[in-house]
């Protein structure tokens, strides 16, 4: 009998500090940076984002999301045999956020590592966890996306600082005789490293290079729309499903215009798309599990639904996971 992996619980956490576009515009204006609620809403669909307080790390946010996912799954942290955290804003250079989070939730002893695929990180991590469960290398996995992008945003660059937010989402993935994850499709093209990156690094006791996020927004936008359709079509084909079979599209939440463009290509009405970008901004690797948890807890995403998760981001990376809830 084939061994599948299945999501048995979801959870998420947003830091309490919330800034509306007006709040952020007022803060930026104090430094002479001009922006407006109108521009941000029209170009991105974002209305608010959450920022972690100083000293609060990705592992702190991820721990809260993980606890909620474990409660939803009805299992103890000690039962986990695998933790994968997707993040581009780790607590420290090493060890991994996964190792730090493992100790905080009390899952000591299980395998724990991070995946770094920027905004595609969660679909990469979920796909790796699924593969490990399918082979028998793991049976109960925790997959987390956790970010504090506020730490790498240049608040003097209005073209990027209005876009991002902090948060975390998590799922418990367990071995199952029934699917579960049906198919995944992952890609990267490193020739596009420069269009979305945070080039700074630690060397000789100093940060060398620019430690702030840089993005060529239009280049990213154009690539994103094309690859998201390709990845969606690839997982549908692998699973023998049609676009009309999809109950919920849960894409990376970067820009409502990218999401509507993708939905249109898949012939899905927007009421089949879970949208959180308006309230969270772009939380990178956390955005998909945050949106999935929102869909589940609001009662829209139900057991048995066919769900398409899709990520795209720095690297350039992209990918999709098709699953039955
Ligand atoms: O998470 C990984 C994936 N990331 C993404 O998917 C992001 C993809 N890119 C985007 O979402 C969009 O390209 C942006 C939202 C980043 C930008 O939207 P756009 O429609 O491509 O705008 P633009 O960069 O062409 O800028 C248009 C104008 C410029 O002014 P001029 O040159 O036309 O006079 C900008 O200077 O808007 C100006 N502008 C702003 N104005 C007010 C840029 N940022 C702002 C701002 N407030 N915050």
């Amino acid at each position: 009998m084939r061994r599948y992996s299945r999501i048995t619980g979801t959870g998420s956490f947003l830091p309490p500090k919330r800034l509306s576009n007006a709040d952020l515009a007022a803060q930026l204006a104090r430094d002479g940076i001009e922006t407006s609620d109108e521009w941000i809403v029209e170009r991105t669909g974002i209305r608010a984002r959450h920022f972690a307080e100083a000293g609060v790390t990705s592992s702190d946010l991820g721990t809260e999301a993980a606890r909620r996912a474990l409660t939803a799954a009805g299992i103890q942290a000690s039962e986990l045999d695998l933790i994968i955290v997707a993040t581009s804003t780790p607590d420290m250079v090493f060890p991994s956020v996964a190792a730090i989070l493992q100790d905080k939730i009390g899952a000591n002893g299980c395998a724990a590592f991070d995946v770094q695929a920027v905004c595609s990180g969660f679909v990469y991590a979920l796909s790796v966890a699924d593969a490990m469960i399918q082979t028998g290398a793991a049976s109960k996995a925790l997959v987390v996306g956790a970010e504090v992008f506020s730490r790498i945003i240049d608040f003097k660059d209005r073209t990027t600082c209005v876009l991002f937010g902090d948060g975390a989402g998590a799922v418990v993935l367990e071995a199952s005789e029934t699917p579960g994850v049906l198919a995944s499709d992952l890609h990267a093209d490193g020739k596009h490293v420069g269009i979305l990156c945070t080039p700074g690094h630690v060397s000789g006791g100093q940060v060398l290079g620019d430690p702030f996020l840089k993005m060529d927004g239009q280049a990213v936008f154009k690539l994103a729309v094309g690859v998201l359709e390709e990845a969606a079509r690839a997982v549908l084909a692998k699973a023998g499903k049609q676009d009309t079979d999809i109950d919920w599209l849960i894409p990376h939440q970067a820009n409502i215009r990218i999401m509507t463009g993708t939905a249109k290509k898949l012939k899905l009405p927007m009421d089949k798309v879970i949208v959180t970008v308006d309230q969270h901004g772009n939380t990178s690797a956390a955005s998909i599990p945050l949106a999935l948890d929102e869909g589940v807890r609001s009662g829209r995403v139900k057991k048995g639904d066919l769900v398409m998760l899709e990520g795209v981001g720095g690297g350039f990376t992209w990918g999709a996971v098709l699953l039955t809830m």
Side-chain angles (χ1 to χ4, degrees), residues 34-36 39-40 43-44 119 158-159 162-164 196 215 217-218 220-221 224 252 254-255 257-258 282 312-314:
E34 253 184 69
T35 189
S36 65
W39 190 93
I40 302 170
R43 300 291 175 129
T44 71
C119 304
R158 70 174 183 173
T159 67
V162 300
L163 305 175
F164 296 92
L196 178 49
M215 179 167 72
Q218 288 193 359
V220 173
F221 194 107
H252 170 49
N255 187 321
R257 293 188 288 141
I258 297 176
N282 180 347
V312 60

Side-chain angles (χ1 to χ4, degrees), residues 132-146:
M132 288 181 71
I133 287 177
Q134 280 192 51
T135 62
S139 294
K140 289 185 198 298
L142 176 71
V143 184
V144 181

